[in-house]
Amino acid sequence: MKDAVRIHKTMTRRDWGLLLFLSVLWGGSFFFNEVALAELPPLTLVLLRVALAAAILRAVMRLKGIAMPRDPAIWRAFLAMGLLNNAIPFSLIVWGQSHVASGVAAIMNASTPLFTVLLAHRLTRDERLTAGRLVGVGLGLAGVAVMMGGAVAGGTGAALAGQVACLAAAFSYALAGVYGRRFGALGLPPLAVATGQVTASSLILLPLALLVDRPWTLAAPGAATLLALAGVAALSTALAYVLFFRLLAAAGATNLLLVTLLIPVTAILLGVAVLGETLLPRHLAGMALIGLGLAAIDGRPPAAAIRLARRGSRDSLRAPPHRVEREETL
């Protein structure tokens, strides 16, 4: 997976804004999944999610006059990306959510940047492991754990299996983030890459869902499930993956997958703003740790602080001797 694509090591304000918006879109997927799982089995839910997203994105491409690539090599890359970024992690997370709460699944998902930092260091030339990145990911994970309190307590049996499934999904997301860098060198628009990915993942999941879930035997879903499907397909998949590939091309895998640290933050803030939930002190402490972690990974705030400290020390050394003596006598 070594490649020669150069990635920005720090993100612009626009990149950070898109990352925050992406965290809201993906944070909502845990809620939508939880609603839809009441009536749909995991593989059927995931298939409907990606198939509906593919239909939406293909319609948008037609409106914009963008043609899908026909190169077999590009479609092989779409299949690999669909497997790593959709079919495997979506299925694991949805199955995991049938055994653990959505908040626990979000915590497990927040381990994605740690896996990404390690994989990007091993498999790329320009996203090397630094002390700042490692410390930043550690602070971010600590912040997520503090925010969620005792939501994760190990568990046994099905609960433990659900947590392991969500961790495996995070590892798959990390692999996808590193693998997906190659699309930047192909010159494809983010809309085409997102459409190709979800189309490929639909082809992968279709025979599995038919074989395992036998969806034709299921009862017709209710209004709440249909609305949840619409939300997870249109917002958390179609729109989210257009932003995903745009950010991946500009900011790199390590920076992009910081979004998983922000997902629990946006979930809590949305709960406070929309559902009237209470913002607890541990939530504020966790958000502060995540903020410090993001600053350490971004690199610019710590560097600015170091420059200010050095400038202050140089100014003190340049102070006139009589001024120092006068201060001592005072």
Side-chain angles (χ1 to χ4, degrees):
M1 285 190 208
K2 296 276 189 185
D3 55 62
V5 179
R6 299 298 299 175
I7 302 293
H8 302 156
K9 292 184 178 180
T10 55
M11 296 197 296
T12 65
R13 291 181 181 178
R14 180 174 177 274
D15 292 338
W16 278 110
L18 289 175
L19 191 77
L20 288 170
F21 185 37
L22 185 58
S23 75
V24 175
L25 295 176
W26 274 347
S29 70
F30 292 93
F31 167 75
F32 293 136
N33 286 342
E34 196 160 331
V35 172
L37 276 171
E39 294 186 311
L40 295 175
L43 284 175
T44 298
L45 170 55
V46 176
L47 171 61
L48 290 172
R49 173 181 180 176
V50 294
L52 289 171
I56 292 168
L57 290 174
R58 289 299 292 267
V60 173
M61 287 188 68
R62 288 193 186 96
L63 288 174
K64 289 181 169 288
I66 301 174
M68 282 298 295
R70 297 185 178 182
D71 186 342
I74 292 177
W75 275 96
R76 285 194 293 272
F78 284 158
L79 284 168
M81 195 65 180
L83 185 67
L84 292 173
N85 212 29
N86 291 159
I88 290 175
F90 285 3
S91 300
L92 288 172
I93 287 175
V94 170
W95 183 85
Q97 278 192 255
S98 65
H99 299 287
V100 299
S102 59
V104 174
I107 294 173
M108 299 295 116
N109 193 53
S111 62
T112 300
L114 180 58
F115 291 132
T116 306
V117 165
L118 298 175
L119 288 171
H121 175 76
R122 183 71 180 87
L123 301 174
T124 71
R125 295 188 181 95
D126 58 349
E127 291 194 62
R128 311 303 291 177
L129 180 64
T130 64
R133 283 183 171 179
L134 196 57
V135 169
V137 170
L139 285 170
L141 290 174
V144 171
V146 168
M147 268 199 309
M148 302 308 295
V152 178
T156 58
L160 180 59
Q163 293 177 27
V164 171
C166 293
L167 277 176
F171 185 78
S172 187
Y173 277 137
L175 277 174
V178 176
Y179 181 87
R181 288 163 41 104
R182 67 190 59 209
F183 290 106
L186 297 176
L188 297 173
L191 180 58
V193 180
T195 306
Q197 173 193 264
V198 291
T199 301
S201 58
S202 300
L203 296 174
I204 294 169
L205 287 161
L206 179 59
L208 294 174
L210 292 176
L211 180 65
V212 176
D213 291 344
R214 302 174 66 203
W216 61 88
T217 64
L218 302 174
T225 299
L226 293 176
L227 288 173
L229 280 173
V232 78
L235 301 176
S236 301
T237 309
L239 177 57
Y241 275 113
V242 174
L243 299 181
F244 174 91
F245 285 107
R246 181 170 296 175
L247 277 167
L248 182 60
T254 300
N255 287 329
L256 169 60
L257 292 175
L258 296 176
V259 69
T260 56
L261 292 176
L262 293 171
I263 286 172
V265 176
T266 58
I268 288 172
L269 293 179
L270 284 172
V272 171
V274 178
L275 302 176
E277 296 176 352
T278 303
L279 191 65
L280 301 174
R282 62 181 169 86
H283 295 153
L284 297 174
M287 290 177 196
L289 283 171
I290 289 174
L292 289 173
L294 294 175
I297 293 172
D298 183 67
R300 283 173 293 186
I306 291 172
R307 286 196 300 271
L308 286 173
R310 288 176 177 172
R311 186 180 303 169
S313 63
R314 286 197 301 267
D315 291 345
S316 64
L317 290 174
R318 292 173 184 171
H322 68 277
R323 179 181 174 184
V324 175
E325 291 173 1
R326 186 163 55 248
E327 288 176 352
E328 288 177 353
T329 57
L330 291 174

